Amino acid sequence: MKFRSDPAAVRGSIAPLVTPFTADGELDTDSLRALVRWQRAAGSHGISLGGSTGEPGAQSTAERAAAMRVVAEETADELPFLPGTGSASLADTLELTGLARDLGADIALVITPYYARPTQEALVTWYGTIAREYPDLPIVVYNVPSRTAVDIAPETVFRLRKAHDNIVGIKETTKDFEHFSHVLHLCGRDFLMWSGIELLCLPLLAIGGCGFVSALANLAPAAVARMYELYTAGEHDAAIDLHYRLHPLVELLFVETNPAPAKHVLADLGVIASGHVRPPLIAPTPAGLDRITALRAQAADLLAPGVPA
């Protein structure tokens, strides 16, 4: 748990994995292991699981726990592990967060509770309960209003940061880039911030962000990691060039609902055995597949795990 004791060391491209299922819809732990190993070989700086890209709402708590155990075994404290442990249920969130702690996870990403649309005061209570229950585990707030119908206000993040030493950062998955800046201004530039919006990953670094938890890392892990490394090495023009080269793959991710397009491509590459997504999602439609194929061709060189030229 070397990264848990120093969460500020967790930087760069944290890959938020898809959750592989068999063609029959069962959890595919063999493909999940292969996916983690592929990410490690490609140079991703950390692994996440259980965020929106992982279809957590379509899984039981037991399935999410089983997947978490596989990734904990594969990362083996050699690569930062940041599982998503939140849900709409406080009891389930506490159970999964406790398991993450026991498995040696370095940071728990806890989504704002979805569907209920809690007030800001309710969010203070929610996160405070989790932080007090697991004071030895760094907690990162996961803000994704497009999925949850609630946006955690910068002032609320500041209150949580001030009240709980183990609330150490935020994953910002909002297109309101001003939100990023307001949070860092209030909480301080030592507050950890990752972007979950693909086209805001590189811009976030310019205002003090520490990296990205981007679904794009499922398709082009080496390229996304390299973009971070180029920027932090001062090679800004090269990082910007790579940002634009990745645009077709960003568009590919959202041809239809994420993660269906990504899973289709990963299965086609042979990284996972099946591109199955669980209801209410469906596999890409014929029109979607045509668009995926065209976009994939525009950035085919970035799909391989090797570092792009």
Side-chain angles (χ1 to χ4, degrees), residues 191-272:
F191 194 62
L192 304 175
M193 182 180 288
W194 293 268
S195 174
I197 297 291
E198 281 63 37
L199 296 184
L200 295 181
C201 287
L202 187 60
L204 175 60
L205 299 181
I207 64 168
C210 65
F212 359 106
V213 187
S214 166
L216 185 58
N218 278 286
L219 296 182
V224 178
R226 182 63 174 158
M227 184 170 67
Y228 173 84
E229 292 163 1
L230 286 168
Y231 186 87
T232 54
E235 297 182 48
H236 295 170
D237 285 345
I240 293 169
D241 287 344
L242 193 48
H243 165 86
Y244 286 112
R245 287 174 62 198
L246 284 162
H247 261 243
L249 297 182
V250 174
E251 188 175 344
L252 186 160
L253 286 173
F254 304 106
V255 165
E256 293 179 7
T257 305
N258 176 48
K263 288 182 119 176
H264 168 79
V265 173
L266 286 169
D268 196 50
L269 290 171
V271 180
I272 60 178

Side-chain angles (χ1 to χ4, degrees), residues 41-42 222-223 301-309:
D301 60 314
L302 300 182
L303 286 170
V307 176

Side-chain angles (χ1 to χ4, degrees), residues 90 111-113 116-130 132 150 152 156 159-160:
L90 181 59
I111 196 169
T112 49
R117 300 180 68 184
T119 64
Q120 297 300 306
E121 198 62 38
L123 290 173
V124 169
T125 300
W126 174 276
Y127 281 105
T129 300
I130 299 162
R132 284 190 297 271
V150 62
I152 187 166
T156 303
R159 288 176 64 188
L160 291 167

Side-chain angles (χ1 to χ4, degrees), residues 82-189:
L82 296 74
T85 61
S87 78
S89 159
L90 181 59
D92 290 349
T93 299
L94 290 171
E95 179 184 345
L96 288 168
T97 305
L99 177 63
R101 178 199 59 184
D102 295 345
L103 290 173
D106 300 293
I107 293 172
L109 300 181
V110 181
I111 196 169
T112 49
Y114 36 87
Y115 187 72
R117 300 180 68 184
T119 64
Q120 297 300 306
E121 198 62 38
L123 290 173
V124 169
T125 300
W126 174 276
Y127 281 105
T129 300
I130 299 162
R132 284 190 297 271
E133 185 74 17
Y134 302 109
D136 57 338
L137 179 64
I139 304 292
V140 165
V141 175
Y142 177 13
N143 185 39
V144 53
S146 66
R147 296 270 191 175
T148 65
V150 62
D151 191 7
I152 187 166
E155 294 78 11
T156 303
V157 182
F158 172 68
R159 288 176 64 188
L160 291 167
R161 152 77 152 167
K162 189 174 180 181
H164 306 283
D165 290 341
N166 60 325
I167 294 183
V168 300
I170 187 167
K171 175 187 174 183
E172 285 280 19
T173 308
T174 170
K175 293 182 179 180
D176 177 5
F177 198 59
E178 290 184 353
H179 196 283
F180 293 58
S181 191
H182 287 308
V183 169
L184 285 175
H185 179 63
L186 288 171
C187 295
R189 288 175 57 188

